[in-house]
């Protein structure tokens, strides 16, 4: 039986805390993986914004997008990142995985000093996929990411990390690094596009959460003016993660009725 | 010669002394100007020459020289991390304030024309 930790870090995403049985566990690394455009960064920004407004300042470590893009995208959801920066509740740091890692390895490096000065509690790392260009050796890559995640925890940060899935619909085939990443992180959430009756919908599932029970349903979510919101589980369908779910009845017929 | 001085005065004469001082101290090339704008827009960037060159869409060799020069003049901070040399905007609030004033002023066409003239003249 799992012992339920009482202290949780609220994500600020309606419905996600319920899926996580209260939120992330403090000082953990939490991976959100999904296809381009499915809402990983929005969910991450929402997590950071929620923290900043509730006495938990945060950092965004960006390896891909320019900080200007975050300010602009956040504004579209009514989150004023420039104002949060002015108040010392947020820093959007643009860097590369190599430099960030080297900086965190130094005693009292720039990021560690900043975390101390701001009292930062949260970090969004966008995206972990960029680490994959440092090394093609899976063992070296795994060690590298392991060290990086431990450094974030050492600084007292609860991390939300995004990772790109390279297929738009359904599961990736034989993705070794995906399996390896699942071991390294404390929680692992998948975002997927699914095709239902000729329209594309978004699905979310928490695959793993170390040290805690979690919701195992595949739920629908959408992105609207207030950000990401999670809804009811998909009902009466299976094969959601394959990207093209079927009605249960169709599956039953396919499986059991001879043609 | 006198004609040139008159032209120069016409362009620079009534420029805000603080902005003129900033120009004289830090902006002697258009690549530097570009880099200053980049660091103003992305004030918490910490990265290597090759990455900054890539972000700025500029040639690495040129950027390397300009970054080193801006660090020597105190606008950027240069840090050695193992084999890497990384650059970040100086933390000094006064410098950041001056940079913000310069970038804001650059949005004004009249100021920009004068500043461009100053950079070109300085590069002779």
């Amino acid at each position: 039986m799992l012992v339920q930790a009482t202290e949780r870090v609220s994500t600020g995403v309606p419905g996600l805390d319920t899926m996580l049985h209260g939120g992330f566990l403090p000082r953990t690394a939490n991976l959100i993986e999904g296809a381009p455009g499915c809402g990983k960064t929005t969910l991450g920004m929402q997590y950071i914004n929620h923290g900043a407004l509730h006495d938990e300042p945060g950092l965004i470590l960006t390896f891909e997008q320019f900080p200007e893009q975050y300010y602009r995208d956040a504004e579209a959801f009514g989150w004023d990142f420039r104002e949060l920066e002015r108040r010392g509740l947020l820093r959007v740091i643009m860097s590369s995985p190599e430099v960030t890692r080297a900086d965190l390895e130094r005693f009292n490096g720039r990021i560690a000093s900043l975390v101390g000065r701001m009292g930062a509690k949260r970090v969004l790392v966008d995206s972990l996929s960029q680490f994959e260009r440092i090394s093609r050796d899976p063992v070296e890559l795994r060690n590298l990411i392991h060290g990086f995640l431990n450094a974030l925890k050492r600084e007292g940060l609860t991390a939300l990390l995004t990772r790109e899935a390279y297929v738009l619909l359904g599961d990736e085939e034989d993705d070794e690094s995906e399996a390896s990443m699942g071991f390294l992180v404390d929680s692992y959430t998948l975002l997927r596009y699914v095709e239902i009756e000729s329209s594309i919908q978004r699905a979310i599932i928490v695959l793993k959460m170390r040290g805690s029970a979690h919701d195992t349903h595949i739920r629908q979510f959408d992105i609207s003016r207030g950000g990401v919101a999670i809804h009811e589980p998909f009902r009466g369908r299976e094969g959601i993660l394959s990207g093209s779910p079927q009605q249960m009845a169709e599956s039953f017929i396919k499986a059991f009725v001879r043609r | 010669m006198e004609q040139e001085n008159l032209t120069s005065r016409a362009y620079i004469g009534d420029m805000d002394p603080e902005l003129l001082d900033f120009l004289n101290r830090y902006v002697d090339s258009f690549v530097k100007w570009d880099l200053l704008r980049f660091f103003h827009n992305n004030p918490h960037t910490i990265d290597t020459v090759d990455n900054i060159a890539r972000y700025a869409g500029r040639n690495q060799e040129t950027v390397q020289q300009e970054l080193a020069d801006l660090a020597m003049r105190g606008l950027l901070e240069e840090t050695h991390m193992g084999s890497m040399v990384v650059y970040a905007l100086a933390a000094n609030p006064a410098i950041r304030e001056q940079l913000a004033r310069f970038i804001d002023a650059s949005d004004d066409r009249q100021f920009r024309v004068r500043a461009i003239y100053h950079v070109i003249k300085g590069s002779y």
Side-chain angles (χ1 to χ4, degrees):
Chain A
M1 193 180 116
L2 282 169
V3 175
Q4 295 293 305
T6 49
E7 199 188 343
R8 297 283 176 154
V9 177
S10 169
T11 61
V13 177
L16 184 56
D17 286 350
T18 312
M19 290 184 82
L20 299 168
H21 287 207
F24 296 134
L25 293 170
R27 295 184 183 219
T28 53
N30 305 281
L31 182 66
I32 306 285
E33 190 188 286
C38 70
K40 304 179 295 294
T41 302
T42 304
L43 196 150
M45 290 196 302
Q46 200 165 344
Y47 167 70
I48 292 295
N49 184 65
H50 182 75
L53 298 177
H54 293 84
D55 216 19
E56 291 191 1
L59 307 176
I60 296 178
L61 290 176
T62 165
F63 301 144
E64 287 173 0
Q65 294 187 43
F66 287 103
E68 295 170 90
Q69 214 166 319
Y70 289 90
Y71 302 136
R72 198 183 49 229
D73 293 350
E75 208 178 326
F77 293 106
W79 310 325
D80 191 345
F81 277 11
R82 285 188 195 276
E83 173 62 13
L84 291 177
E85 281 211 324
R86 204 186 55 74
R87 288 164 55 195
L89 297 168
L90 169 69
R91 283 284 180 277
V92 186
I93 301 170
M94 184 175 188
S95 192
S96 51
E98 301 93 317
V99 172
T100 306
R101 193 179 130 248
D103 183 67
L104 282 164
E105 281 174 359
R106 290 193 311 154
F107 174 71
N108 217 13
R110 276 177 173 275
I111 295 173
S113 308
L114 192 59
V115 168
R117 276 204 308 277
M118 290 172 66
K121 299 275 184 263
R122 299 178 177 217
V123 62
L124 163 64
V125 179
D126 195 23
S127 95
L128 207 56
S129 308
Q130 289 297 318
F131 271 88
E132 288 161 31
R133 65 180 170 75
I134 301 182
S135 173
R136 290 191 179 277
D137 176 0
V139 178
E140 190 188 353
L141 183 65
R142 188 188 156 115
N143 288 340
L144 223 129
I145 294 178
H146 191 220
F148 172 68
L149 298 181
N150 285 339
L152 296 177
K153 292 180 194 176
R154 180 196 69 213
E155 296 305 325
L157 297 167
T158 306
L160 189 153
L161 313 120
T162 65
R163 181 174 182 263
E164 201 94 336
Y166 297 99
V167 288
L168 272 182
L169 284 168
D171 256 339
E172 292 190 68
E173 284 174 16
D174 299 329
D175 184 351
E176 268 183 50
S177 49
E178 182 177 306
S180 170
M181 217 67 85
F183 271 115
L184 293 175
V185 293
D186 299 288
S187 84
Y188 189 1
T189 300
L190 281 182
L191 307 184
R192 286 279 187 264
Y193 287 118
V194 292
E195 185 190 341
I196 295 177
E197 285 153 12
S198 303
S199 78
I200 297 292
Q201 296 186 22
R202 292 178 165 101
I204 182 169
I205 182 168
V206 179
L207 286 181
K208 159 192 169 171
M209 194 169 178
R210 195 175 281 151
S212 168
H214 59 86
D215 183 14
T216 52
H217 286 108
I218 302 170
R219 290 176 179 267
Q220 291 187 50
F221 76 95
D222 63 23
I223 303 173
S224 56
R225 285 180 66 91
V228 174
I230 291 159
H231 306 295
E232 292 299 304
F234 287 93
R235 300 238 179 250
R237 295 182 187 277
E238 63 173 19
I240 298 279
L241 293 182
S242 71
S244 42
Q246 299 172 322
Q247 299 274 11
M248 292 285 229
E250 287 169 30
S251 307
F252 183 83
I253 291 165
K254 271 191 186 166
F256 296 105
V257 180
R258 281 196 182 173
R259 292 169 187 239
Chain B
M1 189 67 173
E2 192 167 332
Q3 179 62 40
E4 195 181 321
N5 285 341
L6 282 172
T7 314
S8 174
R9 258 209 313 277
Y11 273 108
I12 304 296
D14 58 351
M15 192 184 274
D16 179 324
E18 277 185 29
L19 291 172
L20 183 59
D21 184 49
F22 187 88
L23 263 172
N24 286 330
R25 274 183 200 221
Y26 305 115
V27 196
D28 59 9
S29 76
F30 293 112
V31 176
K32 276 202 182 81
W33 193 331
D34 257 8
L35 290 170
L36 293 180
R37 182 174 284 281
F38 169 78
F39 277 103
H40 172 73
N41 290 339
N42 305 287
H44 308 293
T45 300
I46 317 166
D47 225 323
T48 54
V49 171
D50 50 339
N51 284 329
I52 293 171
R54 189 162 47 83
Y55 304 147
R58 292 279 187 180
N59 168 290
Q60 194 177 322
E61 283 72 35
T62 315
V63 166
Q64 182 163 21
Q65 200 180 328
E66 302 289 31
L67 287 173
D69 201 25
L70 285 170
M72 206 177 66
R73 297 178 193 197
L75 201 128
L76 298 182
E77 286 171 7
E78 184 183 284
T79 312
H80 292 252
M81 293 183 188
S83 60
M84 288 185 291
V85 181
V86 304
Y87 291 93
L89 185 60
N92 184 338
I95 289 185
R96 288 186 174 223
E97 178 60 38
Q98 286 168 24
L99 174 60
R101 278 203 69 209
F102 173 73
I103 298 296
D104 283 349
S106 306
D107 289 339
D108 175 62
R109 188 178 176 277
Q110 215 174 12
F111 174 82
R112 211 164 48 238
V113 169
R114 288 171 178 181
I116 288 170
Y117 173 79
H118 191 73
V119 173
I120 292 171
K121 196 172 161 288
S123 65
Y124 285 151

